[in-house]
Amino acid sequence: MSTKATNILVPVISVILGLIVGAIIMLVSGYNPVDGYLALWNGIFGDLYTVGETLRQITPYLLAGLAVAFAFRSGLFNIGVEGQLIVGWFAAAYVGVAVELPKIIHLPLAILAAAAAGALWGFVPGLLKAKFHVHEVIVTIMMNYIALHVTNALIKTVSDGGDRTESIFASASLRSEFFENLTEFSRLHYGIILALAMVGVMWFILEKTTLGFELKAVGFNHNASQYAGMNVNKNIVLAMVISGAFAGLGGAMEALGTFEYVSSKAGFTGIGFDGIAVALLGMNTPLGVIFGATLFGSLKYGALNMPNAAGIPLEIVEIVIAVIIFFVASGYVIRLFLLRAAKKKEAK
């Protein structure tokens, strides 16, 4: 079996196995899996409104998946995408409410602020990794909590003790009347176009630039890259900065498109952590991330319809989604099984 065929089959089989086990869990729990998955389908594709909301949900997952995948391709584990997304969310919303400028200036400024905030949050673990060999997983996990509590404190400061900022000015909004009218007034916004453009940006950087070649080389082997004359430390920092910028843009999608404000959070959004599974499902490739983000965004939004339409408790819904994620994360086992099956077939 060719590598290309295996790369396609592994995520497909993972999803199918997840859906089958999810159906068994619903059946054992006393619920009809057919009704459950029908409700899930209608929650995703039931009408133009749900399609628009599903695409809106997919948007931040695209950027979170790109952030994780970019770091992975550079040999790094960016577990701090959640925190980078949160600071990007705050930065975009703050610029959106702090000043009122012409839209041609205000919107790009807010988007760049989000990318810069995420990049800064990625710079710290990148620098510690490069200079002091501190493992990026530990630092990025801690940075998630710092991001959560720092932004909560800043929100209280800028809102005079409140739990949320004012709504951003229209000049900083990604809202699209065209998409709203097309999807029966869903919250789908222009951010989906920006997110898809970033897929192209990641592909271009990794496949068509010297920087991308060096980042991948450092990811494969630090010592060989250094021997070849590459600046390993600089590339480690750059990889984390670019990864953080992608994550920060994911926060901008929520700040400037979906909610148009930022509020205090009792816990993490989960988008950044789900970005890890999105990247794994997409085999850390830009096009693969589109597939992974589409799956997770669809599951997350469509599942909201399962308790109402099929009477399935939210806890069971979360278990079903978690099972699907589990099989996606177990793709290596499925890949190993397929390769062994192919070898046995060739031996015969």
Side-chain angles (χ1 to χ4, degrees):
M1 185 180 295
S2 68
T3 303
K4 186 177 181 180
T6 304
N7 289 340
I8 295 172
L9 279 175
V10 167
V12 172
I13 294 173
S14 299
V15 173
I16 292 173
L17 286 174
L19 292 173
I20 291 172
V21 174
I24 294 171
I25 291 172
M26 283 189 278
L27 198 60
V28 170
S29 303
Y31 300 99
N32 189 330
V34 175
D35 291 341
Y37 284 137
L38 185 61
L40 177 65
W41 177 268
N42 289 332
I44 301 170
F45 303 109
D47 52 38
L48 288 175
Y49 176 84
T50 55
V51 170
E53 284 294 315
T54 299
L55 290 172
R56 190 268 311 162
Q57 185 73 54
I58 289 168
T59 303
Y61 281 103
L62 272 171
L63 290 157
L66 289 176
V68 177
F70 192 91
F72 277 165
R73 293 290 293 274
S74 305
L76 299 167
F77 296 93
N78 185 4
I79 313 300
V81 170
E82 178 72 21
Q84 293 150 16
L85 184 144
I86 289 172
V87 296
W89 188 335
F90 173 80
Y94 178 74
V95 172
V97 299
V99 293
E100 187 173 12
L101 300 166
K103 193 176 185 73
I104 195 171
I105 299 173
H106 201 182
L107 179 56
L109 183 63
I111 291 172
L112 288 173
L120 176 63
W121 230 249
F123 171 79
V124 174
L127 182 66
L128 291 174
K129 169 78 172 183
K131 293 295 184 182
F132 304 105
H133 305 290
V134 181
H135 204 291
E136 71 276 9
V137 170
I138 298 172
V139 180
T140 51
I141 289 174
M142 294 299 101
M143 293 289 285
N144 286 333
Y145 289 94
I146 296 171
L148 177 65
H149 296 297
V150 166
T151 54
N152 280 348
L154 289 173
I155 289 166
K156 287 188 179 295
T157 300
V158 300
S159 62
D160 296 325
D163 291 328
R164 55 157 285 183
T165 63
E166 296 178 359
S167 296
I168 62 172
F169 289 110
S171 55
S173 176
L174 284 166
R175 180 177 293 180
S176 166
E177 289 186 8
F178 172 74
F179 284 148
E180 287 178 359
N181 293 329
L182 192 65
T183 57
E184 298 178 354
F185 300 100
S186 75
R187 291 175 293 172
L188 180 62
H189 50 80
Y190 286 125
I192 186 68
I193 298 175
L194 177 62
L196 290 172
M198 289 302 104
V199 173
V201 168
M202 176 177 164
W203 172 84
F204 182 80
I205 291 174
L206 289 177
E207 305 299 334
K208 298 296 181 181
T209 66
T210 304
L211 171 63
F213 176 81
E214 290 191 5
L215 290 174
K216 289 187 292 183
V218 170
F220 281 127
N221 192 310
H222 286 195
N223 294 328
S225 300
Q226 192 167 17
Y227 183 77
M230 299 177 189
N231 190 329
V232 172
N233 288 344
K234 183 192 78 173
N235 282 296
I236 289 174
V237 174
L238 273 176
M240 288 300 295
V241 165
I242 296 171
S243 175
F246 282 132
L249 288 174
M253 300 301 99
E254 302 296 85
L256 308 178
T258 302
F259 298 101
E260 299 189 327
Y261 64 86
V262 61
S263 61
S264 297
K265 298 171 180 61
F268 295 121
T269 69
I271 297 172
F273 296 121
D274 287 341
I276 299 170
V278 168
L280 288 173
L281 182 62
M283 306 300 292
N284 298 319
T285 63
L287 288 178
V289 166
I290 294 178
F291 174 76
T294 299
L295 173 67
F296 277 83
S298 299
L299 285 175
K300 286 291 183 179
Y301 186 76
L304 298 176
N305 190 48
M306 293 173 73
N308 296 326
I312 299 174
L314 189 60
E315 291 79 6
I316 300 295
V317 173
E318 292 293 336
I319 291 171
V320 171
I321 294 176
V323 167
I324 294 172
I325 294 172
F326 170 79
F327 278 100
V328 168
S330 304
Y332 174 77
V333 178
I334 298 170
R335 178 184 298 275
L336 189 63
F337 176 80
L338 288 174
L339 291 174
R340 286 186 175 179
K343 287 181 180 179
K344 286 182 180 179
K345 187 176 180 181
E346 289 175 2
K348 291 180 180 179

